[in-house]
Amino acid sequence: MEQQSHEAFLRRAIALGRAVALEEKIGGPFGSVVVRDGQIVGEGQARIAPERDPTWHAEIAAIRDACRRLGTPDLPGCIVYTSCECCPMCHAACWRAGVARIYYAGTADDTETYTGSRYARPRGQFVLPDAERNLPVHQMLREEMLEVWKAYQAQSGQRS
């Protein structure tokens, strides 16, 4: 794909972010598009406040839109264009969907500078062992869950 095409798709993501922030005035300037074979197959905007959903980031919305339109939970060969560098959740979602590449405009540092958000980068708490995090994580009932996993595996015919 040519540089001009990448720039055009990234400009669309920026325009979606501009619209949600400056026209609708309901959140930060976060927009994203998913592209496959030179065509936009998904679009999204951050709508955390109006949807009352902390996961409603632009990239997540664009991935959901693309998966719905394409009828699949996987997006191999797709490219995500986003107005700002992905947060850890969105980066993980792109990875899980099998996205081939991500292009972004603003950096995570920009997001922190202009929004005051402390969630733009995985720092501090994310690199500590589970027991030392402010949000404690505890494992329980693993054996019960393993029974469910084994039944699922047997039902789906998968082997370990």
Side-chain angles (χ1 to χ4, degrees), residues 73-128:
D74 302 308
L75 301 173
C78 289
I79 300 173
V80 168
Y81 297 85
T82 183
S83 60
C84 294
E85 188 174 1
C86 292
C87 74
M89 176 183 69
C90 293
H91 190 93
C94 289
W95 173 81
R96 174 59 182 87
V99 167
R101 184 171 293 130
I102 301 168
Y103 287 86
Y104 66 92
T107 66
D109 287 337
D110 296 336
T111 299
E112 289 181 3
T113 297
Y114 293 102
T115 68
S117 172
R118 63 187 194 280
Y119 304 115
R121 287 193 191 276
R123 296 186 181 131
Q125 295 294 310
F126 287 100
V127 296
L128 294 174

Side-chain angles (χ1 to χ4, degrees), residues 30-47:
F30 304 107
S32 184
V33 297
V34 177
V35 174
R36 179 199 256 171
D37 299 326
Q39 300 293 315
I40 293 176
V41 295
E43 294 189 333
Q45 296 170 303
R47 300 182 63 82

Side-chain angles (χ1 to χ4, degrees), residues 5 13 24-25 36 57 83 87 89 93 143:
S5 296
E24 294 179 56
K25 299 180 182 178
R36 179 199 256 171
H57 290 202
S83 60
C87 74
M89 176 183 69
E143 292 304 317

